Amino acid sequence: MSLAGEAVVAPAPEAAAPARPRAGVPRANPLLVLIVTGMVVALGSLGFVSVAPNRIVSGKPLALWAAVEPGVAALVAALVVALGASALIRSGVWRDRLIAVLAGALLVASLAAAAHAAGLVAAASGPVARTSLGAAFWIVAAGAAFALADAVGRLAPHPLAQSAIAAAVVGALLALAASGALADLSLAREFANRRAAYGAEMLRHLALVGGALAAALPIGTGLGLLALRRPAWRKPLFAVLNLIQTIPSIAIFGLLIGPLSALSGAFPGLRAFGVGGIGAAPAVIALTLYGLLPVARGAFTGLASVPPAVIDAARGMGLDERQILRRVSIPLALPILVAALRVVVVQLTGLAVVAALIGAGGLGVFIFQGLGQTATDLILLGALSAIALALVFDLVLRSLGALLATGERP
Amino acid sequence: MSAPDIASDRPPAGALARLAARPAVWASLAFVAALALLPYSAPLFHALFPELPRPLYTRASFLDLALSHAGLVGLASLVVVSLGIAIGIFVTRPAGRDFAGPVDTLTAVGQTFPPTAVLALAVPAIGYGGAPTVIALIVYGLLPVVSATIAGLGAVPAAPVQAADGIGLSPAGRLVKVELPLAAPVILSGIRTSVILNIGTATIGSTVGALTLGSPIIEGLSGSNPAYVLQGALLVGLFAVATDLWFDELERALH
């Protein structure tokens, strides 16, 4: 069903896209010129990797050509130059295709070059020496990732196509990691030292978000319905939910510790269920409270967007209120509901990072441990993982929303 | 005859009553009162937490913490508002149209990043202290302001723009006199999102070495001192709520 729907929809943007550059004045891509200039300046003046004698000492920056063999440096430099040159091509579609391929290649090549540098350092100075990714690497990698995302955004506006391309790039990077080529990078060593803990904290993170969703979705939807049916309650209800969102997460986490430890003190039986001052219980409760506003707002806007005539027609056909909600309103409101779900999941994924501060675990553990030990690569491991998780949720739910939208059309 | 008298008599009383009816005023008073009274609240916290030898946070004065917190957020917000609106204006002008798509992508993707992760990433880049906190607040706070400015300017109806062109306003005059005033409510809501978010992120800033109202919370959590947590949470909660309610007032004044 949805596949057929997609086949109908897909040609339209492709057919429309080439017409645009021809209609307007063909121009260079000024942003890409800016990005590539930044890459060149960074490669010329900043360290591509940073080499330290051990984990805690801060490293010395090493420029690209000093860090790797000339052939590897030349490959990275050639890709940067080619990316810059492609900005001058005047045909929009071919330019974007070339940019996407070159930027993807540059992303993978710069990581491989950094790993190669780490291998050389490990061979020369022994296994205690640490090679971290340097400022120039991050600028080149971020620039390439952005050029790729921008080109793909214009070539394939459909979230499903974007997911497929993102999966291909991530797959290439994971294949690089799985091959063991990255093993000498400090980031990979931090991961290898904590492989078991990483899996456990990732699961904890997902459990915190999942637990909060399991509570926030039914309660928030109920509040949204309440706002829909009792207009007088609408304003105070949303004012209170908004007020909760206003309070900084760490303050709510902290404020829940007192009442919950008092509760588990008064009813020791609750401890068997994990209710206590510190740990998962206050984190899930706080995350639930935060999730209520977007869920309730999504449910309210979604259901309010259903045309009254449709509901009248359903009523005329003899459906009762519950049937109308299940069979008419919710299916029609689904795109808005999925969009709200995306907002909630992404927000909770980010807030769950803070939960590590009250002993609830999750990916924040690595961030705050890293901050405490001034272990830069441990901070990176936690922060990049949290960002990647939020991006994956965002893309998956965006794709789901797009699938639902195309499924509706026929 | 007596009408002017009544009119001149009433406003002060009316204004005071209206002021007193505003939740923003109450929240601000509560924040100031908490700030003023907390230093003298040691007996209260002794009674609440008898097992703690030192139940009142004294490493820095609450006033210093609040001033530092407000200073970090205020400095970041100043940059965010001026730079964010400038970027939003630039990409909606003919000269910057090429940048509109990429900037849109960047703000959309950037807003999915967890703020705490952005804050943590500032440390490897810059080091510990107040500076990485302000940089992270600026980077993250820009996103909602830029996207709100683009959305607000994009939603300005065509009729007033054409009318402005019709009466011979220059593009700059049209922007200042027609487009920005019409887009102001949307831009303001973006600024509100940015500032409130940054008050929260600055609280976490104490884990990277910034002095904020989060410092007692973080120290209380790591040292098992729930009294510190309560003091910090109370102050930062009131600060955020009062700020948010003032934005409410500002939005109402704009309409």
Side-chain angles (χ1 to χ4, degrees):
Chain A
M1 242 324 229
S2 59
L3 276 179
E6 246 208 282
V8 175
V9 176
E14 280 221 3
R20 215 178 296 146
R22 238 172 269 150
V25 185
R27 340 211 281 178
N29 181 340
L31 184 70
L32 191 58
V33 174
L34 212 64
I35 290 175
V36 170
T37 311
M39 288 182 184
V40 171
V41 170
L43 285 173
S45 61
L46 298 168
F48 190 71
V49 291
S50 149
V51 180
N54 59 51
R55 177 170 176 248
I56 301 304
V57 176
S58 61
K60 283 201 176 63
L62 212 54
L64 176 64
W65 57 84
V68 297
E69 281 161 16
V72 179
L75 174 70
V76 172
L79 283 171
V80 170
V81 171
L83 192 62
S86 69
L88 307 174
I89 294 177
R90 295 198 155 184
S91 158
V93 175
W94 280 103
R95 183 183 68 203
D96 285 337
R97 284 180 186 158
L98 189 64
I99 290 173
V101 171
L102 286 173
L106 179 58
L107 193 61
V108 176
S110 53
L111 189 60
H116 170 62
L120 292 180
V121 169
S125 324
V128 191
R130 288 283 186 144
T131 308
S132 302
L133 301 163
F137 167 82
W138 287 115
I139 289 170
V140 170
F146 184 62
L148 177 65
D150 182 43
V152 168
R154 259 175 287 132
L155 284 171
H158 198 280
L160 273 179
Q162 292 182 2
S163 296
I165 293 171
V169 175
V170 171
L173 294 177
L174 284 181
L176 201 62
S179 73
L182 306 181
D184 287 321
L185 280 173
S186 183
L187 189 61
R189 293 223 195 129
E190 294 289 348
F191 173 73
N193 288 344
R194 290 175 179 73
R195 196 181 287 268
Y198 187 86
E201 297 302 353
M202 179 64 96
L203 285 179
R204 285 283 286 199
H205 204 101
L206 294 175
L208 288 175
V209 174
L213 273 181
L217 288 181
I219 302 174
T221 310
L223 292 174
L225 276 174
L226 191 69
L228 194 69
R229 302 209 168 133
R230 301 269 162 82
W233 291 27
R234 204 170 291 163
K235 249 187 108 175
L237 180 72
F238 282 110
V240 169
L241 294 183
N242 180 57
L243 211 64
I244 296 173
Q245 285 253 331
T246 303
I247 300 170
S249 51
I250 185 65
I252 291 203
F253 285 133
L255 285 176
L256 284 172
I257 291 179
L260 283 173
S261 59
L263 197 67
S264 73
F267 304 99
L270 284 175
R271 272 184 212 153
F273 301 100
V275 175
I278 294 273
V284 171
I285 293 175
L287 292 176
T288 303
L289 288 173
Y290 273 109
L292 288 181
L293 176 68
V295 173
R297 198 168 41 197
F300 172 72
T301 354
L303 296 177
S305 74
V306 178
V310 177
I311 293 176
D312 281 344
R315 203 168 282 140
M317 287 167 65
L319 280 90
D320 63 28
E321 290 301 317
R322 184 172 286 268
Q323 287 171 318
I324 292 176
L325 189 67
R326 273 216 344 251
R327 287 163 61 181
V328 179
S329 298
I330 290 182
L332 282 176
L334 214 50
I336 296 181
L337 297 181
V338 172
L341 181 67
R342 180 173 60 81
V343 172
V344 180
V345 171
V346 169
Q347 196 193 7
L348 293 187
T349 305
L351 285 171
V353 171
V354 183
L357 285 173
I358 54 163
L363 292 169
V365 165
F366 302 118
I367 296 181
F368 296 116
Q369 262 179 20
L371 286 171
Q373 303 171 0
T374 59
T376 308
D377 288 293
L378 191 53
I379 302 175
L380 280 178
L381 181 66
L384 293 179
S385 304
I387 290 173
L389 193 61
L391 284 177
V392 167
F393 279 140
D394 185 63
L395 205 54
V396 166
L397 288 169
R398 232 179 250 283
S399 302
L400 181 66
L403 264 180
L404 290 171
T406 46
E408 249 172 39
R409 223 158 287 194
Chain B
M1 273 277 254
S2 61
D5 282 342
I6 291 168
S8 65
D9 267 346
R10 275 224 180 128
L16 209 65
R18 250 179 288 133
L19 203 66
R22 282 180 180 163
V25 173
W26 287 107
S28 307
L29 286 178
F31 175 61
V32 172
L35 210 52
L37 295 179
L38 264 182
Y40 308 102
S41 64
L44 173 70
F45 284 99
H46 261 303
L48 279 175
F49 301 95
E51 73 284 2
L52 294 175
R54 277 188 297 165
L56 194 66
Y57 186 81
T58 48
R59 183 160 297 187
S61 82
F62 290 112
L63 185 63
D64 283 346
L65 293 176
L67 286 177
S68 171
H69 195 126
L72 292 171
V73 176
L75 182 64
S77 300
L78 213 63
V79 178
V80 159
V81 169
S82 42
L83 197 60
I85 294 178
I87 293 173
I89 290 174
F90 173 67
V91 300
T92 49
R93 301 304 103 184
R97 198 140 290 162
D98 285 336
F99 295 91
V103 166
D104 222 35
T105 311
L106 200 62
T107 52
V109 173
Q111 288 187 71
T112 65
F113 285 26
T116 316
V118 176
L119 178 71
L121 287 180
V123 170
I126 308 163
Y128 287 82
T133 307
V134 171
I135 301 284
L137 295 188
I138 290 173
V139 170
Y140 203 82
L142 269 175
L143 307 173
V145 175
V146 170
S147 59
T149 307
I150 296 175
L153 289 172
V156 171
V161 174
Q162 282 161 1
D165 288 339
I167 61 168
L169 277 181
S170 67
R174 189 186 73 194
L175 174 70
V176 173
K177 292 193 178 137
V178 179
E179 291 179 82
L180 281 178
L182 284 172
V186 183
I187 298 177
L188 185 63
S189 78
I191 295 173
R192 178 182 187 166
T193 307
S194 165
V195 170
I196 297 304
L197 212 79
N198 275 348
I199 291 179
T201 311
T203 314
I204 316 284
S206 53
T207 60
V208 305
L211 192 68
T212 73
L213 289 171
S215 305
I217 303 180
I218 304 295
E219 214 166 299
L221 286 173
S222 60
S224 315
N225 189 326
Y228 289 2
V229 176
L230 196 61
Q231 289 147 22
L234 178 74
L235 285 175
V236 81
L238 284 173
F239 180 47
V241 167
T243 309
D244 190 60
L245 290 173
W246 278 114
F247 272 106
D248 234 18
E249 294 294 326
L250 211 57
E251 276 177 14
R252 215 167 302 155
L254 215 57
H255 278 298

